[in-house]
Amino acid sequence: EICAFKIHGQEAPFEAEVLNRTSGEGVLRARGPIDCEQQKEYTFIIQAYDCGASPSGANWKKSHKAVVHIQVDDVNEFSPVFREPLYRATVTEGKIYDSILQVEAWDQDCSPQYSQICNYEIVTQETPFAIDRNGNIRNTERLSYDKQQHYKIMVTAYDCGQKRAMESVPVHIDVKPVCKPGWQGWNKRVDYEPGTGSRQLFPKMHLETCDGPLSSVRAMVELQTSHIGKGCDRETYSEKSLQKLCGAASGSTDLLPAPSVSTNWTASLLTDSGRDSDLIFRFDGRQAANIPEWVVPQNLTDQFTIATWMKHGPSPGLRAEKETLLCNSDKTEMNRHHYSLYVHNCRLVFLLRRDFIQLDSFRPAEFHWRLEQICDKEWHYYVINVEFPSVTLFVDGVTYEPYLVTDDWPIHPSEIDVQLTVGACWQGGEVTTPRFTQYFRGSLSGLTIRPGKIATQKVISCLQACKEGLDISSLESLGKGIKFHFNPAQSVLVMEADDLESINTAMTKVSYINSRQFPTPGLRKLHITTTVQCFGEDTCISIPDIKAMVMVMPPSEPRITIAGVKWLVWPVAQLRAPVGVALFKDIHIISTVTKTDATLSIVRRPGVLELMHNLDYCDVLVIGEELDPEWESLEIHHSSLLGKHLDATNSTSGISIYGVDSMAHYEQAIRQVRYRNWKPGGLSERRFRLSCSELNGRYTSNEFNLEIGVVHNSEAAEHVNHMAVQSQYMRPVHHPLVVHTADSDHISGTPPAATVVIVMCIAALVVIVVLGIYRIHTTHQDGSKEDEEGRKDPEMDWDDSNLNITVNPMESIDGTQIAEEVREEEPEEEEDEDEEDDELSGDLSSAESEDTDEEEETNILKGKVNGKLEWDPSTLPY
């Protein structure tokens, strides 16, 4: 009989049980769950044992060993899982790919039937992609970058038991355009706010070479500003102011000034408008101007300078005529050209025929230069330095010697007058009708002559310097692998590098800068050309040029305001004084701009900010009849301009102070303008007008009108002057007694020290009143003795028939607030005025007398005076 089965060889999770001892039939079963994923098959040895003789079975007999091999059948219990949570690929447009990328899933089941992935499927509908059984994704049509740049599809997987993956996997496919070598990541337009310094133009720019091998890259960035002003954004001050600013020698004559009453010879010429006060005259072959004789420099020696801005193109016709910029010729009878500057066949010619001297011989007379700049239709700055017999030409700061010099006979002296013209040459002799000839065709600006001096290289560079250009924001970050070079005007930047990373870093540092406080708004074009060289080849990759632009935004326009006393009264004695009278002692010049930023709402005056900037001229003009130099003058002492970039010219129509300087310096200078009249017999009043400008009239101030009255009775003048101007620039007297009695509730609380001060003030007031009464009484007694009618009554009443009380008409217009603001500023102004008066002995005595009279008059006007004289305030018309 068979009593048991025994398993040997390993810890198999099985056991054997005897079912029939006689037949030896048994069963093999698992002791617990069997997992195919942990072990697919088992192999072990089994033996059968009989029952044996002993009940204990110690003497059992065993059968031979049998090998048992068990294979575990799999159940499809697991779903496919993708190996990556996300798949991403990039394709180029226009291509059909056999395989863009491959997705892969796996199954944890142990059997080949259930563990293998038999199929993949794209879940997303209507996509131009397909997937095969191996997970390879391909496109079914040519993709277009313009149509769609990105695709997202969902993919699932099936095992061979057709069990689907629990989660689909996303696949992202980016479409890139066909690789075209060139710059990428740049904006076509860059906005520039004035006053922001250097502005990066291409902060995210990089060069795409499509993985082509390269040995060097050369990029050239060009800023095109030929349409701005005279070739670029420059300071638009007047020519005199610019020369003063650049340190040029004084004494130059501006032959093309802005048209005005005193410079009316340019009024008939065509001006190029829309240039933000950059004064440009355009000549079309029909305009010319005769320079007045009083303007023409009369002392041209062997050393002088002619300078001008010129824009000129090719002359029409095969045999072009001479085009004259400047010509000094005989006014009548003859047709001799003493000196002239003209263009002929794209050559610049300077003619200089010296006067006849003892040595009658040929001398250098015509100097010729042939330059491309003369006919390139661009602005250039020309300076001719004459150190006879040597003549040197500077064009944009570069020196050029004449290629041809011809000699001629000197001009014999004659009594014939000469005529200086601009834009043509005057032919007054040898013709039936005097007329202009050799007209100029082009544009001119800043045409000047300076006798006795030649311009230095430093001054020339300053006068033609651009205020805008290209810049590199951080030079230290460029590294050693980059080489760069600017042209003198900083309008062209050339950079070279040996690798792509260096040139990309350098291009991100290229910036635009405009140092003007009020730049000319508008577009500036940018042009970038790039050359790529490969190993052993001249050029291997063609990089398209880039055309971009910089938009300079309009600056906030300043509002220049002149404020001060508008009406003054002076006695004739001070008008006759050697120093005269100061007209604008309390003048103030301020400039404000209006901002729309919301951050400015916390300011006391929302949106209005005071701005500090320069001025370039201030004019004091006489309103009405011009000054008669026989008995009156308007002048400013030269010492008032020392230490400032200012100069002044005066005439019978007024004074012009010019030069690029701060508003504070202009204030100081204007306060020293003095009027003097040494015969004011019939003069009752004089009126003046003050106005200032920034950038040659681009921004102008209000017109400040000042009227001065002249009183011939010195005593009456004292009363009138004090009453007229007290509220404007003299502090009113506030008596402590009046202040403290205004509120009786606080009198008891007044401290002892304050009481002492009050008592002292009252005592001083009484003394002043007594002295005033005594002075008035004495004055009228002296007047009575000189009276023709001989009246000597000591009890006479005050005769107010000749007394005129004049009130400042601006008090009612400006209002109480303005008067209070003026009073608050008076202490500092009075200190400044005292310092200025100390320098003028004549004014000192008059100022002292006025201060004394002010105190006396203030006390007298407080009420009636008990005594021999009575003041009746009811008759005063205020």
Side-chain angles (χ1 to χ4, degrees):
E1 294 182 350
I2 301 301
C3 289
F5 294 100
K6 190 174 182 180
I7 298 175
H8 302 282
Q10 62 178 345
E11 296 182 1
F14 300 98
E15 61 182 4
E17 181 181 352
V18 178
L19 297 179
N20 191 327
R21 291 187 176 187
T22 303
S23 63
E25 182 180 355
V27 62
L28 187 66
R29 62 166 59 93
R31 293 198 299 265
I34 303 299
D35 192 350
C36 176
E37 283 71 35
Q38 293 183 359
Q39 190 166 343
K40 294 183 180 180
E41 57 185 23
Y42 296 89
T43 301
F44 53 87
I45 296 174
I46 189 171
Q47 282 184 315
Y49 290 83
D50 60 8
C51 295
S54 175
S56 60
N59 297 322
W60 285 356
K61 293 183 179 179
K62 52 187 176 181
S63 67
H64 67 278
K65 297 179 179 179
V67 177
V68 179
H69 181 78
I70 299 175
Q71 187 173 6
V72 181
D73 289 338
D74 187 20
V75 177
N76 195 2
E77 56 184 321
F78 293 100
S79 300
V81 178
F82 286 94
R83 296 189 180 276
E84 301 291 340
L86 173 70
Y87 290 89
R88 184 181 296 275
T90 301
V91 297
T92 303
E93 65 174 345
K95 294 179 62 177
I96 296 294
Y97 289 82
D98 293 334
S99 176
I100 297 175
L101 79 162
Q102 183 182 23
V103 297
E104 184 179 1
W106 66 289
D107 197 314
Q108 298 183 31
D109 291 316
C110 64
S111 64
Q113 180 181 0
Y114 300 132
S115 64
Q116 292 183 0
I117 306 300
C118 287
N119 192 23
Y120 291 93
E121 181 183 358
I122 296 177
V123 180
T124 306
Q125 300 295 320
E126 298 181 358
T127 60
F129 300 98
I131 190 169
D132 60 14
R133 300 174 63 90
N134 296 321
N136 293 306
I137 298 176
R138 60 182 178 85
N139 57 319
T140 57
E141 61 183 50
R142 299 181 188 275
L143 304 180
S144 172
Y145 176 83
D146 296 332
K147 182 179 179 181
Q148 189 169 345
Q149 296 87 35
H150 179 78
Y151 291 90
K152 178 182 178 181
I153 59 177
M154 302 300 293
V155 176
T156 190
Y158 296 88
D159 60 17
C160 293
Q162 293 303 306
K163 194 174 185 66
R164 180 176 172 175
M166 296 293 293
E167 294 183 358
S168 300
V169 67
V171 178
H172 294 267
I173 299 176
D174 296 319
V175 180
K176 68 176 183 179
V178 176
C179 185
K180 298 176 182 178
W183 292 102
Q184 297 180 4
W186 55 279
N187 295 323
K188 188 172 183 179
R189 167 173 164 167
V190 179
D191 290 342
Y192 180 82
E193 288 291 340
T196 56
S198 185
R199 172 80 155 84
Q200 284 183 274
L201 298 175
F202 315 109
K204 298 180 180 180
M205 192 176 191
H206 63 277
L207 181 63
E208 175 63 62
T209 59
C210 299
D211 298 327
L214 56 89
S215 60
S216 67
V217 182
R218 182 180 184 272
M220 182 175 70
V221 185
E222 182 181 3
L223 179 68
Q224 299 175 349
T225 60
S226 59
H227 62 292
I228 302 295
K230 298 188 290 288
C232 68
D233 209 1
R234 296 181 170 92
E235 295 293 4
T236 56
Y237 295 114
S238 65
E239 197 63 29
K240 278 190 175 182
S241 296
L242 282 174
Q243 292 187 0
K244 184 84 174 175
L245 186 65
C246 290
S250 60
S252 65
T253 301
D254 190 357
L255 301 181
L256 288 175
S260 65
V261 176
S262 58
T263 59
N264 57 2
W265 67 88
T266 59
S268 62
L269 300 179
L270 297 176
T271 57
D272 194 350
S273 59
R275 296 283 183 167
D276 290 303
S277 300
D278 201 355
L279 190 61
I280 295 173
F281 293 92
R282 185 162 49 87
F283 297 84
D284 61 0
R286 291 174 294 184
Q287 290 84 26
N290 282 327
I291 309 300
E293 186 176 352
W294 61 271
V295 178
V296 178
Q298 301 296 330
N299 55 343
L300 286 186
T301 61
D302 288 346
Q303 190 178 66
F304 61 93
T305 297
I306 298 177
T308 186
W309 286 94
M310 182 177 72
K311 179 180 179 181
H312 183 264
S315 303
L318 297 177
R319 299 186 61 182
E321 296 182 354
K322 295 180 179 180
E323 299 179 46
T324 303
L325 287 74
L326 179 68
C327 181
N328 190 5
S329 59
D330 291 330
K331 183 179 290 187
T332 58
E333 299 184 23
M334 304 182 71
N335 187 29
R336 300 175 302 176
H337 294 186
H338 297 257
Y339 62 87
S340 66
L341 180 65
Y342 62 89
V343 174
H344 188 211
N345 287 328
C346 293
R347 291 176 301 152
L348 185 66
V349 183
F350 177 62
L351 169 67
L352 177 63
R353 297 187 65 188
R354 309 302 296 171
D355 292 338
F356 177 79
I357 58 176
Q358 293 181 353
L359 182 61
D360 189 4
S361 63
F362 266 14
R363 305 181 69 186
E366 279 192 344
F367 304 83
H368 300 249
W369 294 271
R370 189 193 302 274
L371 302 173
E372 295 180 357
Q373 294 93 320
I374 297 173
C375 291
D376 65 356
K377 297 182 180 180
E378 300 290 344
W379 280 103
H380 300 284
Y381 187 54
Y382 299 83
V383 178
I384 297 178
N385 275 346
V386 178
E387 291 181 288
F388 196 79
S390 174
V391 178
T392 304
L393 172 67
F394 292 84
V395 180
D396 298 332
V398 180
T399 307
Y400 296 92
E401 297 295 333
Y403 80 93
L404 175 65
V405 178
T406 59
D407 296 340
D408 201 349
W409 292 102
I411 293 179
H412 289 270
S414 66
E415 300 297 328
I416 302 175
D417 293 333
V418 294
Q419 176 65 60
L420 182 63
T421 56
V422 174
C425 201
W426 179 256
Q427 186 173 1
E430 302 177 0
V431 290
T432 305
T433 304
R435 56 188 174 87
F436 288 114
T437 60
Q438 301 175 7
Y439 284 99
F440 177 71
R441 294 176 176 84
S443 298
L444 297 176
S445 179
L447 177 57
T448 60
I449 296 181
R450 181 186 295 108
K453 298 285 185 179
I454 61 171
T456 64
Q457 180 75 51
K458 181 179 179 181
V459 170
I460 294 173
S461 299
C462 175
L463 290 172
Q464 59 96 33
C466 288
K467 295 298 181 180
E468 65 178 340
L470 298 173
D471 190 24
I472 296 179
S473 58
S474 179
L475 289 174
E476 60 274 6
S477 63
L478 291 183
K480 298 181 180 180
I482 191 74
K483 300 177 183 178
F484 65 92
H485 171 71
F486 286 100
N487 70 334
Q490 283 194 223
S491 60
V492 177
L493 170 61
V494 178
M495 297 185 295
E496 295 184 14
D498 296 333
D499 59 277
L500 204 58
E501 182 180 356
S502 297
I503 198 69
N504 287 339
T505 302
M507 287 299 292
T508 60
K509 305 298 181 183
V510 177
S511 305
Y512 169 82
I513 188 170
N514 194 315
S515 60
R516 293 189 66 192
Q517 188 174 12
F518 305 107
T520 303
L523 290 174
R524 276 77 163 162
K525 295 181 179 179
L526 288 168
H527 188 208
I528 301 177
T529 55
T530 309
T531 303
V532 177
Q533 291 185 342
C534 295
F535 294 96
E537 300 181 27
D538 292 336
T539 58
C540 56
I541 301 175
S542 178
I543 305 297
D545 291 352
I546 285 181
K547 292 183 179 180
M549 63 184 70
V550 177
M551 172 61 79
V552 178
M553 309 306 290
S556 299
E557 295 192 0
R559 181 181 179 183
I560 307 172
T561 304
I562 304 175
V565 176
K566 296 187 176 182
W567 192 83
L568 291 173
V569 176
W570 294 101
V572 293
Q574 291 195 358
L575 293 179
R576 290 195 188 104
V579 295
V581 296
L583 297 179
F584 307 100
K585 292 195 68 173
D586 71 332
I587 205 71
H588 288 283
I589 305 174
I590 62 172
S591 180
T592 57
V593 292
T594 301
K595 295 287 187 179
T596 57
D597 298 346
T599 56
L600 296 177
S601 59
I602 60 175
V603 182
R604 184 167 60 92
R605 298 177 63 193
V608 178
L609 295 177
E610 186 170 349
L611 183 68
M612 301 303 296
H613 59 79
N614 292 327
L615 300 176
D616 61 349
Y617 71 80
C618 286
D619 289 338
V620 179
L621 300 178
V622 179
I623 303 176
E625 295 183 2
E626 293 189 354
L627 298 175
D628 192 331
E630 294 293 330
W631 59 72
E632 60 182 339
S633 67
L634 193 63
E635 56 192 32
I636 181 172
H637 199 273
H638 179 68
S639 61
S640 304
L641 305 178
L642 294 178
K644 307 176 180 67
H645 294 101
L646 299 178
D647 208 341
T649 58
N650 63 352
S651 63
T652 58
S653 60
I655 282 183
S656 179
I657 303 173
Y658 63 91
V660 182
D661 212 331
S662 65
M663 291 185 289
H665 279 180
Y666 265 94
E667 276 186 4
Q668 297 172 12
I670 293 171
R671 290 173 183 174
Q672 298 300 320
V673 174
R674 310 186 76 85
Y675 172 68
R676 183 187 175 206
N677 191 317
W678 48 94
K679 292 182 181 180
L683 183 67
S684 61
E685 65 177 12
R686 260 299 189 186
R687 291 184 297 162
F688 303 92
R689 177 174 296 157
L690 171 64
S691 62
C692 295
S693 157
E694 164 69 334
L695 296 175
N696 200 22
R698 179 176 174 185
Y699 306 116
T700 56
S701 70
N702 60 310
E703 292 184 346
F704 178 81
N705 294 324
L706 171 68
E707 182 177 348
I708 64 170
V710 180
V711 179
H712 297 271
N713 186 315
S714 60
E715 182 181 358
E718 293 175 1
H719 295 290
V720 172
N721 211 34
H722 293 323
M723 292 300 297
V725 301
Q726 179 177 347
S727 64
Q728 291 291 338
Y729 64 86
M730 305 180 73
R731 285 185 295 181
V733 178
H734 297 285
H735 300 287
L737 180 61
V738 177
V739 174
H740 288 283
T741 56
D743 189 355
S744 59
D745 295 337
H746 299 279
I747 294 179
S748 60
T750 305
T755 304
V756 174
V757 173
I758 294 172
V759 172
M760 293 178 63
C761 291
I762 295 174
L765 177 61
V766 172
V767 173
I768 293 172
V769 171
V770 172
L771 290 176
I773 295 173
Y774 175 76
R775 179 181 175 186
I776 295 172
H777 177 67
T778 304
T779 303
H780 281 274
Q781 279 186 338
D782 294 341
S784 300
K785 293 177 183 180
E786 298 174 359
D787 193 281
E788 295 179 359
E789 298 179 0
R791 291 178 296 180
K792 300 181 180 180
D793 186 4
E795 300 293 330
M796 64 179 294
D797 291 335
W798 180 280
D799 183 8
D800 59 355
S801 60
N802 293 325
L803 179 61
N804 296 322
I805 304 301
T806 306
V807 180
N808 187 354
M810 295 306 297
E811 290 184 5
S812 60
I813 297 177
D814 295 340
T816 307
Q817 182 179 358
I818 297 178
E820 291 176 355
E821 293 176 355
V822 174
R823 292 190 190 107
E824 291 174 359
E825 297 175 355
E826 284 167 3
E828 297 180 1
E829 296 177 14
E830 290 176 355
E831 291 176 6
D832 296 338
E833 293 171 3
D834 292 342
E835 293 176 2
E836 297 169 358
D837 290 342
D838 290 341
E839 301 174 0
L840 306 172
S841 59
D843 285 349
L844 181 59
S845 59
S846 62
E848 291 175 350
S849 63
E850 288 177 10
D851 292 341
T852 305
D853 294 344
E854 177 189 355
E855 294 177 357
E856 295 172 357
E857 287 298 319
T858 304
N859 290 288
I860 293 172
L861 296 180
K862 278 297 177 179
K864 296 181 179 180
V865 179
N866 296 325
K868 298 178 181 180
L869 300 178
E870 291 184 356
W871 180 279
D872 185 5
S874 62
T875 60
L876 295 179
Y878 53 178

